[in-house]
Amino acid sequence: IILAVSGLASGLSIAIVMLTGAKWGGLSSVIPTLAYVLTVSGAMHLVNYSRTPGKDRMLFRMLRIGWKPCLLSALTTAAGMLSLCRSEFPAIREFGVYCACGVVASLACQLLLLPVFIDWLKPAHLPPVDENTKSLFLDVLLPRSKATTLFFLSGSALAGIGLIYLRSDLEVERNFSADADVMRDIAWLENHIGPVEQTEVVVTFRGVDSQGFDRRLEGIAEVENALTQSPDIANTLSVASWVPGEPRGSSLAATAKRSAYRKVVQHLRSDLSVTPYLRIEGDAELFRISTRFPFIGPANFKRMKLDVPQIAKSTLAKEFDDSEFTVEHTGVALLYNTAQDDLVADLYRNFAFAFALICPLMMIVLQSVGRGLLAMIPNVCPAVIVYGLLGWCDYPIDIGMAMTACVALGIAVDDTTHFMLRYRDLENSLIDGARPALRIAFHQCSRAMFHTTLITGFGLAAFLFAALAAMPRFTGLLIALITVALCCDLILLPSLLNLLPRNSIRAEQRETPAVEPR
């Protein structure tokens, strides 16, 4: 039943994308898998709640205990996904919206279908949860709560220093493995024909007409010649590449040739304007110069971004006044390089926004500002640790890896929500106070938390062997994040809760017998 309902949620997430007319992109293929594993995760917790002792029907017991944590987990997960909508990258924004829609489909399947089907079958093989809360793990952990908490927080702080060195890399070739067909084809083209990667330089002359076109064309040719001297540029292409150079010499014949040449070039102006390399708009001429460099191999975009327009400006300044022309450097390759400068900042902004959305929800759910903040510690530490280690290792991130932090935060907060709500309910209902509540909540939730992380990890592992190299990086990082999050939920969170002072008012109410009125 769990697998069937999760498959339905996965199908609904695909249908939402298709019915809205959106394009199915590379990272979109992760959306149904996320919907699938989130449904499995919630279903595991619901089934775990059904094993709680009680005289009511299994259907009502599952919903009575599980509706609130499932709903709140979905809200926090959707908030984490929707935080991606603030990104400056359209692919990330679209991914966040459809992931949030997949979370809603997952919640509907969890609460509307799963309990009904399980109650309908009335499985007799689900034994009640063992109420024996003795745990060797907790017996070792809880007396060392201070040392454990200090270890996690100091380790997170040390790893977090690596965030300073975190960098991004959006080179397209990183998205494909070296033995992919497209990479072999590009390698053959560059070895036998020439470089295929390019940027564009647009030189605009304003307040001009056909007179002096030969002079401006010669200036473009000089810019091309200067650009090819740069170590980053292999060759260039412009309308000047198709027109022979102006004749040189001081003889009478050379002078006559130059005069004839200039007249021919002026007549060529209208013919050249039909090409993609010259555009005439009123009294303005826009010359396009394509600069070529190797696609395979590292390119120094930062140096190219500064040097190319500077070379063009300094070359034209020898013949033209600065007010006569403007130079712009653009192109898809340059766009990727410019975007990667903002990618790390985009990661920090999105994660901070996700935290700002989820933290108040946790405070409202737990009815405590302090416990809401405490519950966020095990969910922030995984991102700090994993991304900090990437910074220490100088491993660059791409668009998929940049959005993984918010996705992982949304997934990891599920287990924290289930654990904290169960702990709060038990703390309010048990006479003995908070310490037994912590043991019982851990005993009831830890197995489901471990199983959901295991299932989620195996579900995402299917993408580790994808041909598109960006997909294994995205899923590998996500698996690492949820694994660290599980360790934080099972080790750090109980240690933090064990360090909390016992609520004295609640304790007095439990321990002081009621006085009968006279």
Side-chain angles (χ1 to χ4, degrees):
I1 290 174
I2 290 176
L3 295 179
V5 171
S6 301
L8 177 61
S10 179
L12 287 174
S13 68
I14 298 174
I16 292 170
V17 176
M18 303 309 294
L19 289 174
T20 55
K23 292 183 179 180
W24 195 260
L27 289 173
S28 301
S29 56
V30 182
I31 295 175
T33 304
L34 286 175
Y36 189 88
V37 297
L38 287 172
T39 309
V40 170
S41 174
M44 295 295 293
H45 281 287
L46 280 173
V47 172
N48 188 56
Y49 294 142
S50 72
R51 300 171 67 245
T52 303
K55 296 181 179 180
D56 51 346
R57 285 179 59 181
M58 184 180 294
L59 169 65
F60 300 123
R61 189 160 63 250
M62 293 173 69
L63 291 177
R64 174 173 54 82
I65 302 175
W67 76 268
K68 186 182 293 184
C70 285
L71 175 62
L72 296 172
S73 296
L75 287 177
T76 52
T77 302
M81 306 300 183
L82 289 175
S83 66
L84 296 172
C85 294
R86 293 190 70 259
S87 173
E88 297 181 0
F89 298 87
I92 295 181
R93 293 198 298 268
E94 188 174 280
F95 179 83
V97 170
Y98 286 114
C99 275
C101 293
V103 171
V104 175
S106 170
L107 177 66
C109 292
Q110 287 176 48
L111 295 182
L112 300 181
L113 298 179
L114 187 77
V116 176
F117 289 152
I118 291 182
D119 182 75
W120 176 58
L121 285 181
K122 292 182 173 59
H125 61 279
L126 287 178
V129 65
D130 184 10
E131 289 297 333
N132 181 14
T133 60
K134 292 182 179 179
S135 170
L136 178 62
F137 180 78
L138 288 180
D139 290 340
V140 174
L141 176 66
L142 295 184
R144 298 168 176 80
S145 297
K146 291 184 179 179
T148 303
T149 302
L150 182 62
F151 172 78
F152 267 90
L153 296 183
S154 59
S156 299
L158 181 61
I161 298 175
L163 294 174
I164 302 173
Y165 310 108
L166 191 64
R167 63 183 181 89
S168 59
D169 189 350
L170 296 182
E171 291 189 17
V172 180
E173 58 266 32
R174 291 188 71 231
N175 293 328
F176 301 93
S177 59
D179 57 348
D181 289 342
V182 64
M183 297 302 291
R184 288 201 297 266
D185 292 343
I186 291 175
W188 187 93
L189 284 171
E190 295 199 328
N191 289 332
H192 293 81
I193 298 178
V196 299
E197 189 72 294
Q198 68 184 61
T199 62
E200 310 294 337
V201 178
V202 179
V203 178
T204 304
F205 292 96
R206 300 194 180 278
V208 298
D209 53 22
S210 60
Q211 297 296 322
F213 178 71
D214 58 308
R215 180 167 166 261
R216 295 188 292 274
L217 191 64
E218 184 178 1
I220 297 300
E222 292 176 357
V223 170
E224 281 195 81
N225 182 60
L227 288 174
T228 54
Q229 306 302 316
S230 170
D232 300 308
I233 306 299
N235 49 58
T236 60
L237 179 65
S238 73
V239 289
S241 305
W242 305 323
V243 178
E246 184 176 297
R248 301 294 180 182
S250 56
S251 64
L252 183 62
T255 303
K257 288 180 180 180
R258 277 197 299 274
S259 176
Y261 170 86
R262 291 169 183 172
K263 290 181 180 179
V264 172
V265 168
Q266 287 180 6
H267 288 299
L268 282 176
R269 181 174 182 260
S270 59
D271 295 333
L272 293 174
S273 66
V274 301
T275 69
Y277 289 86
L278 175 62
R279 185 179 181 87
I280 301 175
E281 296 180 349
D283 64 346
E285 288 176 349
L286 288 81
F287 289 88
R288 170 187 173 188
I289 305 174
S290 294
T291 63
R292 297 296 180 104
F293 52 93
F295 178 84
I296 297 177
N300 194 332
F301 277 104
K302 292 186 181 299
R303 183 172 61 190
M304 193 185 308
K305 182 180 177 181
L306 296 173
D307 288 354
V308 168
Q310 185 60 39
I311 291 173
K313 289 177 182 178
S314 60
T315 303
L316 290 172
K318 297 175 182 178
E319 297 292 334
F320 302 91
D321 189 79
D322 292 343
S323 60
E324 296 182 63
F325 66 91
T326 59
V327 176
E328 295 176 285
H329 193 199
T330 183
V332 175
L334 192 66
L335 175 64
Y336 270 93
N337 177 257
T338 303
Q340 77 181 23
D341 293 339
D342 300 328
L343 190 59
V344 174
D346 196 67
L347 163 65
Y348 295 150
R349 285 194 299 267
N350 290 338
F351 190 81
F353 188 65
F355 182 89
L357 287 176
I358 294 175
C359 188
L361 285 174
M362 296 297 290
M363 293 176 182
I364 295 171
V365 168
L366 300 176
Q367 300 175 355
S368 170
V369 174
R371 291 197 177 188
L373 290 171
L374 181 142
M376 293 303 297
I377 295 176
N379 297 304
V380 173
C381 284
V384 174
I385 292 172
V386 174
Y387 281 93
L389 291 177
L390 288 178
W392 279 117
C393 298
D394 195 33
Y395 190 88
I397 64 171
D398 56 22
I399 287 182
M401 297 171 73
M403 69 175 71
T404 310
C406 294
V407 175
L409 178 62
I411 294 176
V413 81
D414 284 4
D415 288 337
T416 307
T417 304
H418 282 277
F419 186 91
M420 291 295 293
L421 283 176
R422 191 64 183 143
Y423 171 72
R424 191 200 64 179
D425 292 342
L426 289 169
E427 186 184 23
N428 291 336
S429 61
L430 292 176
I431 298 177
D432 295 333
R435 301 299 181 259
L438 177 58
R439 287 182 171 272
I440 295 174
F442 182 87
H443 187 69
Q444 291 183 355
C445 297
S446 59
R447 183 166 68 171
M449 292 162 66
F450 176 77
H451 288 165
T452 55
T453 303
L454 189 67
I455 292 170
T456 302
F458 274 107
L460 293 171
F463 292 94
L464 292 176
F465 307 99
L468 191 65
M471 198 67 69
R473 288 196 295 269
F474 171 82
T475 52
L477 184 61
L478 186 55
I479 291 172
L481 284 166
I482 62 175
T483 302
V484 177
L486 176 66
C487 296
C488 291
D489 279 333
L490 294 182
I491 301 175
L492 178 59
L493 184 57
S495 299
L496 289 170
L497 291 174
N498 191 51
L499 294 176
L500 288 178
R502 188 176 176 182
N503 192 323
S504 58
I505 298 177
R506 190 172 294 166
E508 289 176 2
Q509 291 175 347
R510 290 168 180 155
E511 295 170 1
T512 304
V515 179
E516 292 292 336
R518 295 182 179 179

